[in-house]
Structures are given as C-alpha cells and as structure tokens.
Amino acid sequence: MKVNKQIVIEIVNNLIDVRNKIFDQIVALGMETEFSEEVGGFTVGEMYHLELKHFEDSKNSSLRKLVELCRETEGTIFSLMNFNGIDEKEVKLNN
C-alpha cells in the first residue's frame, strides 16, 4: 500500500517540531550546567547562534544523550523525506 505523501509531510513537520523542542531543552540544560559561567557574560538583547555541535563534547551525560536523540531525530526526518521524495521546500525545515 502506497503512503499518501501529504501524510508523510505532516509527520516530517511534526518531527521537525519535536527536534526543535529537543534542541531548546539541550540549550536550556547546557546554560544551567556546563555553560552557566558564560551565561553571566551575556548582555540582555545580545543574539547568539547556537548549534548542536556546541554541545556534542559535553561532559554532562544528560546533554550527550539529548544530543544523540536530536541527531537520531534529524536522521529520521531526512530518511523519511528521502524515502518519500519530499523536497526541503515542502516541509518547514527553516522555521
């Protein structure tokens, strides 16, 4: 049975939301633990661009596990897109 592409697009978009929530939790935990000293040096209104790679070498086992989960979720997203011929423009990757 062929799966409706629109259903898979919805699933992928939901997984993107989940991935982004996991990343937000990684940042929150990282700022409370390993990066707590750096947080004190931030000025209100300053913008910082954080990426998953900033947390990959964490000494905190919880952070490492969350990074692993985030990477696995990303892999699932791109696998589903590839298997179902879904283009990046069809999903909300950059939102």
Side-chain angles (χ1 to χ4, degrees):
M1 175 167 67
K2 187 170 175 152
V3 176
N4 183 322
K5 186 176 178 179
Q6 196 57 41
I7 292 171
V8 179
I9 289 172
E10 184 178 337
I11 291 167
V12 168
N13 282 328
N14 288 336
L15 287 172
I16 291 168
D17 289 341
V18 167
R19 182 264 177 220
N20 291 338
K21 287 178 184 178
I22 294 168
F23 181 76
D24 289 346
Q25 296 305 300
I26 290 169
V27 172
L29 182 58
M31 293 300 126
E32 289 295 321
T33 57
E34 289 187 40
F35 301 101
S36 61
E37 291 181 18
E38 285 87 350
V39 172
F42 292 165
T43 303
V44 174
E46 281 186 278
M47 298 287 287
Y48 292 91
H49 181 75
L50 296 172
E51 297 178 14
L52 201 52
K53 68 182 178 182
H54 292 111
F55 302 95
E56 288 177 338
D57 296 327
S58 173
K59 294 179 179 104
N60 183 298
S61 59
S62 295
L63 270 175
R64 285 194 316 270
K65 195 65 177 168
L66 287 169
V67 168
E68 180 183 330
L69 178 60
C70 198
R71 288 277 186 227
E72 287 178 23
T73 305
E74 290 172 350
T76 300
I77 289 165
F78 288 109
S79 291
L80 286 171
M81 290 173 64
N82 187 40
F83 294 154
N84 293 280
I86 297 170
D87 187 82
E88 290 184 11
K89 294 174 187 160
E90 297 179 86
V91 295
K92 55 181 182 177
L93 280 177
N94 296 319
N95 292 343

